Amino acid sequence: QVQLVESGGGLVQAGGSLRLSCAASGRTFSTFAMGWFRQAPGNEREFVAAISASGVRTRYANSVKGRFTISRDNAKNTVYLQMNSLRPEDTAVYYCAAAVTFTQYPYDYWGQGTQVTVSS
């Protein structure tokens, strides 16, 4: 069992930056691939970024490539999403998730989400 708690969301102007954090419980955090997803009102949840258990592999949605960076600190049981050059279309609830394998979907565990609002 893995429990995930996101933080770091908020209101930011277009062009600004935010860093989301996701703290995980349990001693097996380092064995899970981690991902970030988002859901805007009226839209389906969509993939944003993922990182392998070791942190060596990452992948991104085309819409955030070059602007967002996913990273993890296994010693702190935390995964991060650094978001730069934010756009109004990035407004959404952002969810952290954990998966047994890097490429699977759906993920196994989900956090409750943190709101990100980008004003124009």
Side-chain angles (χ1 to χ4, degrees), residues 51-114:
I51 187 167
S52 63
S54 65
V56 171
R57 290 183 293 168
T58 58
R59 58 189 181 99
Y60 297 90
N62 287 336
S63 58
V64 307
K65 203 171 292 184
R67 300 188 298 122
F68 290 11
T69 302
I70 188 170
S71 62
R72 67 189 296 160
D73 185 337
N74 284 345
K76 295 182 178 180
N77 279 14
T78 303
V79 63
Y80 305 96
L81 185 68
Q82 177 66 45
M83 304 186 296
N84 299 328
S85 301
L86 283 161
R87 304 166 180 168
E89 55 264 38
D90 294 318
T91 295
V93 177
Y94 283 70
Y95 297 90
C96 169
V100 173
T101 62
F102 182 56
T103 56
Q104 77 178 66
Y105 191 83
Y107 276 46
D108 298 295
Y109 302 100
W110 293 85
Q112 294 300 306
T114 186

Side-chain angles (χ1 to χ4, degrees), residues 14-34:
S17 298
L18 281 175
R19 188 176 81 154
L20 305 183
S21 299
C22 173
S25 65
R27 295 180 294 175
T28 58
F29 173 78
S30 63
T31 68
F32 284 91
M34 299 297 297

